[in-house]
């Protein structure tokens, strides 16, 4: 394929992903995040001052004002560049951490690098670069990972796991064999922390323990209940067999709440990011109370970022207020207290 054709194809794929996520019915079917199974225990007399509640923390060696992360989403097109600039600007203003979309396109097509470069808009917050873990089986190695980090001045690198998406993607790579050992080697040679994330089907406790044992320093569980990437690829597919097969996986995956609980139980030495279908600050509070250290938010921010910076800032402010209010409601004065206190009631 000629370079111009490849570039056009990459840009088209990225644009299709944005459009489908914004306008298509891509939520998982007959599967939920699992947060509805928990209620936060109300405390009528919290004995704390609302204005003194602290949401601050740290991630990747940098301070953050809130335990919230802009989930890895996009890059690779002019529209994506504008979205990333807005996400980064607001994340910097409000003190969120930020993940970038998959950067394979930037490594293969240098003209796309600028669509991921947001350090100018976000000079102080933690930012992590992003590559598909499966690319380690398709010619990628330490140099590619190091280059991805350097291009965006990132504080860490996350490797995403998207096995089912690769099956249904027309251009998918499906050899996931032997990746644990390659991830381990990368963890011990790359000069920034390495994390691993799912894309919406969840990481359970057993895999989290295996990743932690190999040196992974942060894990984003990215559980089911939010965007289903088999549904996204169903809309892109021109193969009727793959499209119908993708529909059968609309309910696949481990609920986000289940993932957080399992991972928190099995591993304590890694930072746990709870993401996957998070819609508001009350769900974020539940995620933290279940054991997450940080909470990732995706599609609600994407929809707002497409509209305007002001709209995005309002969504972030709402989520922060909901989280702080939930903490006030249970009587937790800071995130650590929310994480360690007995604030959840399991419902029938």
């Amino acid at each position: 394929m000629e370079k111009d054709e490849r570039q056009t194809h990459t840009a088209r794929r990225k644009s299709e992903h944005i459009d489908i996520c914004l306008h298509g019915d891509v939520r998982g079917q007959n599967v939920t995040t699992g947060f509805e199974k928990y209620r936060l225990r109300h405390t009528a007399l919290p004995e704390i001052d609302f204005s003194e509640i602290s949401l601050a923390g740290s991630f990747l060696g940098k301070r953050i004002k809130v335990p919230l992360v802009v989930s890895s989403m996009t890059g690779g097109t002019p529209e994506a560049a504008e979205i990333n600039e807005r996400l980064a600007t607001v994340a910097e203003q409000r003190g969120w951490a930020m993940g970038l979309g998959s950067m394979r396109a930037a490594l293969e097509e240098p003209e796309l690098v600028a669509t991921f470069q947001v350090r100018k808009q976000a000079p102080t917050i933690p930012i992590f670069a992003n590559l598909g873990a499966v690319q380690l089986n398709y010619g990628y190695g330490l140099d590619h990972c190091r280059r991805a980090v350097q291009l965006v001045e990132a504080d860490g690198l996350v490797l995403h796991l998207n096995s089912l998406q690769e099956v249904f993607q027309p251009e998918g790579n499906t050899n996931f064999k032997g990746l644990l050992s390659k991830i381990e080697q990368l963890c011990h040679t790359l000069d920034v922390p390495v994390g691993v994330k799912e894309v919406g089907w969840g990481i359970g406790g057993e895999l989290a323990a295996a990743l932690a044992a190999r040196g992974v320093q942060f894990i984003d569980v990215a559980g089911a209940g939010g965007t289903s990437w088999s549904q996204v690829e169903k809309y892109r597919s021109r193969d009727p067999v793959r499209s119908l097969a993708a529909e059968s996986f609309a309910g696949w995956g481990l609920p986000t709440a289940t993932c957080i609980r399992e991972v928190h139980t099995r591993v304590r030495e890694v930072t746990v990011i709870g993401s996957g279908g998070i819609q508001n600050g009350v769900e974020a509070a539940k995620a933290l109370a279940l054991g997450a250290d940080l909470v990732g938010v995706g599609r609600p921010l994407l929809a707002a970022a497409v509209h305007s910076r002001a709209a995005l800032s309002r969504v972030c402010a709402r989520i922060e207020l909901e989280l702080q209010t939930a903490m006030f409601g249970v009587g937790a004065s800071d995130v650590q207290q929310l994480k360690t206190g007995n604030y959840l009631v399991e419902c029938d």
Side-chain angles (χ1 to χ4, degrees):
M1 183 183 294
E2 294 294 331
K3 183 177 180 181
D4 287 347
E5 293 180 21
R6 186 178 69 243
Q7 181 179 346
T8 301
H9 179 75
T10 299
R12 184 187 305 118
R13 174 161 53 89
K14 297 289 186 179
S15 294
E16 287 173 352
H17 281 162
I18 294 172
D19 183 65
I20 291 169
C21 286
L22 288 172
H23 304 113
D25 182 12
V26 294
R27 288 186 68 88
Q29 305 297 316
N30 301 316
V31 61
T32 69
T33 61
F35 290 122
E36 75 282 357
K37 297 179 181 179
Y38 299 92
R39 294 185 67 84
L40 289 160
R41 187 186 299 275
H42 177 65
T43 300
L45 182 58
E47 286 285 356
I48 56 176
D49 185 340
F50 179 81
S51 66
E52 294 178 354
I53 293 174
S54 174
L55 302 181
S58 62
F59 181 47
L60 299 177
K62 291 186 174 179
R63 296 293 295 171
I64 48 177
K65 295 178 184 177
V66 292
L68 299 167
V69 181
V70 176
S71 290
S72 301
M73 284 185 279
T74 193
T77 71
E79 180 187 14
E82 186 174 7
I83 290 170
N84 278 339
E85 287 178 5
R86 289 174 178 171
L87 289 169
T89 299
V90 173
E92 175 72 22
Q93 291 171 345
R94 307 204 66 89
W96 292 44
M98 181 174 176
L100 297 170
S102 176
M103 292 180 60
R104 177 184 171 191
L107 294 182
E108 297 180 356
E109 300 169 35
E111 54 270 38
L112 299 179
V113 170
T115 68
F116 295 90
Q117 291 177 320
V118 295
R119 186 54 88 183
K120 181 179 178 181
Q121 289 78 25
T124 69
I125 63 170
I127 293 176
F128 49 94
N130 176 8
L131 289 172
V134 74
Q135 297 308 314
L136 298 176
N137 277 346
Y138 289 85
Y140 275 45
L142 174 62
D143 290 343
H144 295 86
C145 295
R146 183 178 287 137
R147 180 66 175 154
V149 169
Q150 292 172 342
L151 285 172
V152 295
E153 302 174 66
D155 304 292
L157 172 71
V158 73
L159 300 171
H160 66 262
L161 305 176
N162 63 334
S163 54
L164 267 65
Q165 182 187 9
E166 295 287 350
V167 169
F168 295 115
Q169 227 178 39
E171 54 280 283
N173 300 130
T174 55
N175 178 17
F176 277 69
K177 187 175 181 179
L179 285 179
L180 272 175
S181 62
K182 292 183 178 181
I183 291 172
E184 179 176 19
Q185 184 179 8
L186 187 62
C187 288
H188 294 308
T189 52
L190 195 64
D191 51 4
V192 296
V194 175
V196 171
K197 74 180 300 294
E198 239 284 350
V199 299
W201 290 293
I203 292 177
E206 185 175 354
L207 176 56
L211 292 168
R214 285 160 174 81
V216 169
Q217 295 188 41
F218 61 100
I219 294 173
D220 184 342
V221 301
T227 301
S228 166
W229 281 91
S230 58
Q231 291 287 86
V232 173
E233 297 301 340
K234 176 190 74 174
Y235 285 109
R236 289 189 65 233
S237 179
R238 296 179 181 178
D239 180 340
V241 173
R242 286 181 182 271
S243 182
L244 287 171
E247 182 65 31
S248 298
F249 289 84
W252 189 268
L254 298 171
T256 300
T258 300
C259 292
I260 295 171
R261 196 168 191 176
E262 282 192 16
V263 174
H264 176 66
T265 300
R266 291 292 298 270
V267 297
R268 299 298 176 94
E269 67 275 22
V270 303
T271 297
V272 178
I273 303 174
S275 75
I278 302 289
Q279 298 294 314
N280 55 61
V282 177
E283 292 178 342
K286 290 180 181 181
L288 293 165
L290 281 166
D293 299 294
L294 302 166
V295 178
V297 184
R299 197 148 58 122
L301 303 186
L302 177 64
V306 168
H307 189 269
S308 70
R309 188 184 302 171
L312 175 61
S313 187
R314 286 194 294 270
V315 171
C316 292
R318 171 184 60 79
I319 293 172
E320 293 166 20
L321 176 60
E322 291 164 348
L323 172 56
Q324 187 174 3
T325 304
M327 292 172 64
F328 189 55
V330 302
S333 60
D334 58 36
V335 175
Q336 186 59 29
Q337 188 176 354
L338 178 60
K339 282 174 50 62
T340 57
N342 182 26
Y343 298 122
L344 286 176
V345 177
E346 196 163 357
C347 306
D348 293 334

